[in-house]
Amino acid sequence: MSATCNTQKRPQAAGAKCWACGGPAHGQRNDRKARSRYCEAWTFTCSKCTVKGHYTKSCSKCTTCGVWGHRDASSRICTQGKGHRNPPNQGKSTKDQEQEQVGYIFEQLCTTSEQTNQVSRLEHHIFDGHWVARPSKPHPMLLVNMTPLPEDHSSFGHPIQDTSQLKTITMSMVADTGCQSSIIPLQSANSLGITEKDLIPVKLVMRGAIKEDLGVIGAVAVSVTTKDTTSSAMSTRLLCYVSDTMEKAFICREALISLGIIHTNFPNVSTVTSPNIAASMENSEDVTCSCPRRRPSPPPVPTSLPPGLKATEEHVESLKEWLLDYYGATTFNVCEHQPLPLMNCEPLQLHVDPNATPVAVHKPALVPIHWQDKVYADLERDVRIGVLEQVSQNTPTTWCSRMVVTSKADGTQGGQ
């Protein structure tokens, strides 16, 4: 199925530009709602005024006070202008002043354009056949099942006092090939049923990229299990360090090698690529959202209840949350940025009467003006996730039915 170029596009004023990204305006008003859907700079944080939602090149510098974020003394945020009613430190806390300043900056930026006399600073670019201004990809997350190993604690000379509270948990860890040792937050260790007094005392002091102390208070011996693209379980044992300051869990390079996620010669270039690496490269679409990475197939059907939960009424909400998390990357994944996986079956065949006369509609369908942005966004989403395929311009069209936009019972746009 394909979407032809005859679909009606978002209305735009002739020559209008988006103040935030510098490209064509997003819709007639170029308001926050439209920019949150289409503007590439929506998630970008300006390095000059530290306000999120516009590129650094779109930021303005005051000609009077020299502060980034507004144009001149007519702005209310300008400390040397007439519009500034109160001195910056009069009657308000530092936090209130900062919040008010951010609000003023955003308000002023909504009506400013790029200054021609400011120094041009390059945004982050990705080479995709050609250089494209695009934010960096988010951290790669690995979904694992983590199980405490009390017998290993005993072998290290620090047995766990109460093993009845131990349980397996499912958690996401940042797959960091530059991490030398795996580390988890203290609350994750508590979720395993391990208290602070059960932690194995360690000598190692872990420091981050800028030499800051990561707050290691001990270690825990665990088994980490994940699944490859064929749903086969891959497992390894780790001595995970526990931090009382970190909020994210990181899995180290050695563990990634043991799980088969990266090759043993990493970072050397290898001519032999494992099936796991090939699959990850094949599915390495550019995803900048925080949704779970979509998996090609659901995990196996659970054969027993998760540890600590029972099939009773008081555990209904906990079981619901567990199921949502268990199938979060497949069945319940409603991400609108990642392509949908292909079905493992014979290709669908459309049987057409050989004597039928081809009909192609080339006149664009009429779409109510208050639905145009929504319809256009839905079409872009379907192309992005692989439901529709965009046809290049000047491509001959043999069959093409007219698009029909329908409404829901409440009057909102329901589909096409």
Side-chain angles (χ1 to χ4, degrees):
M1 186 176 183
S2 62
T4 68
C5 59
N6 296 322
T7 55
Q8 212 165 3
K9 295 185 177 181
R10 294 169 291 164
Q12 294 180 353
K17 288 188 175 182
C18 173
W19 66 268
C21 67
H26 312 292
Q28 290 182 327
R29 295 182 298 275
N30 197 51
D31 54 13
R32 293 189 65 190
K33 184 177 180 181
R35 285 187 290 106
S36 66
R37 294 180 178 177
Y38 312 115
C39 186
E40 295 180 353
W42 180 253
T43 58
F44 188 85
T45 301
C46 175
S47 60
K48 294 178 180 178
C49 66
T50 68
V51 174
K52 191 175 182 180
H54 64 277
Y55 283 149
T56 304
K57 67 180 181 181
S58 300
C59 192
S60 301
K61 185 177 183 180
C62 180
T63 57
T64 302
C65 66
V67 176
W68 289 100
H70 60 284
R71 292 181 294 180
D72 48 40
S74 62
S75 170
R76 290 180 295 175
I77 198 175
C78 183
T79 57
Q80 301 181 22
K82 296 180 180 180
H84 186 76
R85 297 180 180 179
N86 298 319
N89 296 321
Q90 180 176 327
K92 294 183 179 180
S93 66
T94 303
K95 183 177 181 180
D96 291 338
Q97 294 172 35
E98 292 177 352
Q99 292 178 347
E100 187 178 31
Q101 184 179 20
V102 170
Y104 285 163
I105 291 174
F106 184 82
E107 180 181 349
Q108 294 300 317
L109 284 175
C110 287
T111 57
T112 58
S113 59
E114 183 178 356
Q115 297 291 319
T116 57
N117 59 349
Q118 70 181 38
V119 178
S120 176
R121 300 194 182 192
L122 186 67
E123 312 293 349
H124 183 67
H125 278 62
I126 301 293
F127 188 78
D128 188 10
H130 60 282
W131 289 108
V132 181
R134 185 181 301 161
S136 301
K137 290 185 178 181
H139 291 298
M141 305 301 295
L142 181 66
L143 188 67
V144 302
N145 289 330
M146 184 174 290
T147 306
L149 301 173
E151 62 277 8
D152 289 3
H153 274 251
S154 299
S155 66
F156 285 126
H158 197 80
I160 297 176
Q161 301 299 322
D162 184 9
T163 59
S164 63
Q165 302 298 320
L166 299 181
K167 59 182 178 180
T168 299
I169 64 172
T170 301
M171 61 182 298
S172 293
M173 304 183 72
V174 179
D176 190 350
T177 55
C179 183
Q180 296 173 293
S181 302
S182 300
I183 187 169
I184 61 175
L186 177 59
Q187 50 265 42
S188 297
N190 295 153
S191 299
L192 290 167
I194 297 177
T195 62
E196 189 169 348
K197 65 180 181 181
D198 293 324
L199 299 178
I200 302 172
V202 294
K203 296 181 179 180
L204 180 68
V205 176
M206 294 184 66
R207 300 188 183 276
I210 58 174
K211 305 301 181 182
E212 77 279 18
D213 190 349
L214 299 184
V216 173
I217 59 175
V220 56
V222 295
S223 171
V224 173
T225 304
T226 188
K227 296 183 182 298
D228 60 15
T229 55
T230 62
S231 296
S232 299
M234 305 292 290
S235 180
T236 188
R237 292 192 176 197
L238 295 177
L239 186 65
C240 270
Y241 292 90
V242 179
S243 167
D244 59 357
T245 59
M246 297 188 63
E247 297 180 355
K248 288 185 177 180
F250 288 77
I251 187 167
C252 66
R253 180 183 63 185
E254 291 181 351
L256 295 174
I257 293 175
S258 298
L259 294 171
I261 297 176
I262 60 176
H263 56 80
T264 56
N265 296 326
F266 179 87
N268 296 329
V269 178
S270 175
T271 56
V272 179
T273 306
S274 67
N276 291 343
I277 303 299
S280 63
M281 293 175 60
E282 185 179 23
N283 297 322
S284 60
E285 66 277 357
D286 180 28
V287 179
T288 58
C289 62
S290 58
C291 303
R293 293 303 296 265
R294 181 169 278 125
R295 294 191 173 188
S297 60
V301 178
T303 57
S304 61
L305 292 174
L309 297 181
K310 299 179 181 180
T312 57
E313 188 172 350
E314 57 268 21
H315 288 84
V316 168
E317 290 300 322
S318 299
L319 287 170
K320 178 180 177 181
E321 291 297 327
W322 182 81
L323 285 172
L324 290 174
D325 182 69
Y326 188 74
Y327 291 105
T330 53
T331 306
F332 299 121
N333 194 336
V334 294
C335 177
E336 296 186 356
H337 302 85
Q338 304 175 58
L340 294 171
L342 297 177
M343 297 181 65
N344 186 17
C345 62
E346 293 294 328
L348 179 65
Q349 296 183 0
L350 298 178
H351 300 280
V352 181
D353 187 347
N355 297 322
T357 302
V359 176
V361 177
H362 297 285
K363 184 178 179 180
L366 296 178
V367 179
I369 190 170
H370 61 287
W371 283 353
Q372 287 182 358
D373 285 349
K374 180 65 166 59
V375 171
Y376 189 83
D378 288 348
L379 290 173
E380 284 189 325
R381 176 204 60 204
D382 289 345
V383 172
R384 188 165 55 245
I385 66 178
V387 174
L388 299 179
E389 180 182 351
Q390 189 170 0
V391 179
S392 303
Q393 295 185 6
N394 301 322
T395 300
T397 303
T398 305
W399 288 91
C400 184
S401 299
R402 182 178 299 282
M403 180 181 70
V404 179
V405 181
T406 59
S407 64
K408 298 180 180 178
D410 59 359
T412 58
Q413 187 266 323
Q416 60 266 4

